[in-house]
Amino acid sequence: MTRLIRAFAALAVLGLAAGCSSRAASTSDVDAGKPAYAAGSSPFWVDPEGPAARQARLWQRQGRGKDAELIRRIADQPVALWPAGGTDPAPTVKAAASAASREGKTAVLVAYNIPHRDCGEHSAGGAADGDAYRGWIGKFADALGETAALVVLEPDAVAHVVDGCTPGEYHAEREQLLGEAVARLKRQPNTKVYLDAGNAGWMEPAKLVEPLKQAGIEQADGFALNVSGFRTNEVTTEYGVRLAEALGGKHFVVDTSRNGNGPLPGVWCNPPGRALGTPPTTGTGEPIVDAFLWIKRPGESDGTCEGGPAAGRWWPEYALELARNTPG
């Protein structure tokens, strides 16, 4: 999207919608920390049939053992599931929830189907209207059952209200739908909900405070930052702490999937030379940061830019570059 796009290909019917960060990078955070890749256990569920896992198996069969080993840096990590908008999310969510439950892990999912999504950009679409969205989010929540789950709610939706990209006539409905979605998801006994709040290069935290409150942040477990973005952990955490203070101490999670080399100034869509960031973990070193997560699926295109395929399509060459550029 001008800001995000993403997708998922896994245990059941998959969705096309994978993200890209919306704002061009500034030079201030390009060199601010380059977390090295490190394999390790985490409390989050790993999809054994994700696109990176399938790619690794294919390359191994083709004799590309070194490339297969590199791509496993993605395949072996827990990456968020993005159930498709426009279809019943229940089969996909239920399959992932069941698999996570069997392994005693937490499923990480993204709800991304708000009406008038992405302002007509790369991930345009979403539910046809408010009632369609309520039905979709209800099926999503029901499918979670009692599984331990972490849901990132509607990337860019609040930020697009603030920056005016979403037309004003939709603002009140959007905030109402987000608040209802938070409340519905929180009815599931073991589900945590993080309402998306954009990224550190987009706008001052103060501009987000009231819109987040209108969208139900007080009932949520916290907010999410840097989804499909490239901002470093340091820059994002500093920004998040400022926003958290303005929200009465709300916690947050950070997408670290592709931020190992920070952003590339002026390029938000499929920027070259990027690297994987800190693997998913709850050991963030910051009490107010609940987790580093791979919310964007590394290797899925941001859109038809820099030679990439359509938004959300698996792009093995880009995935391999991310892995190759990552220390470890």
Side-chain angles (χ1 to χ4, degrees), residues 60-325:
Q60 195 68 52
R61 292 195 301 270
Q62 293 175 341
R64 295 176 61 178
K66 185 173 292 187
D67 289 343
E69 182 179 355
L70 281 170
I71 211 70
R72 287 193 187 98
R73 292 182 173 184
I74 298 172
D76 292 345
Q77 296 295 333
V79 181
L81 159 68
W82 299 66
T87 62
D88 183 355
T92 302
V93 175
K94 189 171 293 185
S98 296
S101 183
R102 286 194 298 270
E103 297 177 22
K105 299 285 188 176
T106 297
V108 181
L109 307 103
V110 181
Y112 188 53
N113 195 37
I114 199 76
H116 317 292
R117 189 177 68 191
D118 199 34
C119 312
E121 296 292 341
H122 291 288
S123 287
D129 54 34
D131 286 341
Y133 183 73
R134 291 181 181 96
W136 187 86
I137 206 73
K139 291 176 180 178
F140 188 117
D142 285 342
L144 291 171
E146 297 185 0
T147 297
L150 187 158
V151 178
V152 174
L153 183 60
E154 297 299 340
D156 287 351
V158 173
H160 279 166
V161 166
V162 178
D163 73 3
C165 182
T166 297
E169 61 264 31
Y170 303 134
H171 290 185
E173 179 192 50
R174 173 165 294 185
E175 291 168 347
Q176 180 179 350
L177 289 174
L178 289 170
E180 291 176 9
V182 171
R184 178 63 193 86
L185 289 164
K186 288 301 297 178
R187 283 166 49 189
Q188 305 309 122
N190 297 307
T191 294
K192 291 188 174 182
V193 180
Y194 293 84
L195 185 58
D196 186 76
N199 67 64
W202 201 332
M203 63 193 69
E204 283 299 307
K207 294 183 178 181
L208 287 161
V209 174
E210 287 305 316
L212 284 169
K213 287 181 178 179
Q214 292 297 318
I217 189 65
E218 293 177 356
Q219 287 72 49
D221 294 276
F223 56 93
L225 292 175
N226 204 47
V227 174
S228 297
F230 299 87
R231 303 283 169 174
T232 61
N233 293 356
E234 293 82 357
V235 167
T236 302
T237 298
E238 186 275 336
Y239 180 89
V241 167
R242 291 164 59 200
L243 180 55
E245 289 174 350
L247 291 169
K250 277 291 181 181
H251 287 208
F252 60 97
V253 296
V254 177
D255 185 354
T256 61
S257 57
R258 305 183 299 176
N259 73 349
N261 283 344
L264 181 65
V267 183
W268 58 264
C269 185
N270 297 326
R274 302 309 92 197
L276 303 171
T278 305
T281 181
T282 54
T284 66
E286 295 284 349
I288 204 165
V289 183
D290 287 346
F292 293 140
L293 302 170
W294 284 10
I295 301 172
K296 167 70 179 182
R297 299 178 67 82
E300 291 182 353
S301 178
D302 293 329
T304 53
C305 45
E306 303 293 323
R313 297 287 186 185
W314 173 246
W315 188 7
E317 295 83 4
Y318 194 81
L320 186 60
E321 182 186 7
L322 288 169
R324 187 178 285 132
N325 291 342

